[in-house]
Amino acid sequence: MKIYVASSWRNTYYPDVVKALRDAGHEVYDFRNPPTGGNGFHWYDVDERWMEWSPEEYRDHLSHPLAERQFANDIEAMRSCQGCVLLLPCGRSAHTEAGWFAGNGKPVFLYIPERQEPELMYKLFHSVCCSIDELLLAIRQWEEDR
């Protein structure tokens, strides 16, 4: 299965989850190592004062060539992947990506490796997994059902 892992740059579980999925035979899109090279997209590469932007500056910087390139990488990967692992904790972009997958009829496997604030709408997703073993089993079961 080709899998998109939606998470945060700050998520310390991310490298291990990508590795475990690959070790299980899955093809995984790694936003930290995009196909166009480099080490992924960072707003500070667009402007070092990115945290001080006004809403208008934020909107305008969405058209910056670096932002456009990474968006193209991510959306192409999303379209080509069969499913998504939403790895908590994460932020708005990862949740937007997971929502896109769910809205397009592709399974979202939520992985919660540590205590989080409960969220009712995670019921929209295919499964809620609390260990890497549960995650791999849920993906395998989904594949077998196809």
Side-chain angles (χ1 to χ4, degrees):
M1 180 176 189
K2 189 169 182 183
I3 299 173
Y4 188 100
V5 179
S7 194
S8 167
W9 277 96
R10 293 179 293 278
N11 190 309
T12 58
Y13 298 97
Y14 181 86
D16 292 335
V17 170
V18 169
K19 182 180 183 326
L21 290 166
R22 287 181 173 157
D23 288 349
H26 301 289
E27 184 179 344
V28 180
Y29 175 73
D30 180 357
F31 70 87
R32 293 183 182 183
N33 298 287
T36 56
N39 63 348
F41 176 78
H42 303 278
W43 282 113
Y44 58 72
D45 291 332
V46 171
D47 180 358
E48 62 186 36
R49 55 175 279 288
W50 64 280
M51 288 295 289
E52 301 166 19
W53 289 344
S54 69
E56 294 81 10
E57 289 173 305
Y58 171 57
R59 179 192 58 213
D60 294 345
H61 282 93
L62 286 171
S63 298
H64 188 280
L66 293 175
E68 294 282 2
R69 182 179 74 179
Q70 189 60 40
F71 178 79
N73 285 337
D74 292 348
I75 199 70
E76 179 181 330
M78 291 166 64
R79 288 180 178 134
S80 70
C81 286
Q82 296 163 292
C84 174
V85 170
L86 178 61
L87 173 59
L88 299 185
C90 59
R92 298 179 309 268
S93 285
H95 281 84
T96 301
E97 291 162 341
W100 182 93
F101 275 91
N104 280 280
K106 297 183 178 190
V108 176
F109 305 90
L110 177 66
Y111 177 29
I112 310 173
E114 63 183 45
R115 189 174 64 83
Q116 298 289 311
E117 179 179 341
E119 175 53 62
L120 179 63
M121 297 313 290
Y122 287 154
K123 290 178 66 63
L124 288 170
F125 300 148
H126 179 74
S127 61
V128 176
C129 306
C130 302
S131 72
I132 196 69
D133 289 335
E134 282 185 12
L135 175 64
L136 295 172
L137 178 61
I139 293 169
R140 187 170 58 246
Q141 288 175 336
W142 182 86
E143 289 178 304
E144 290 171 359
D145 290 344
R146 296 294 164 250

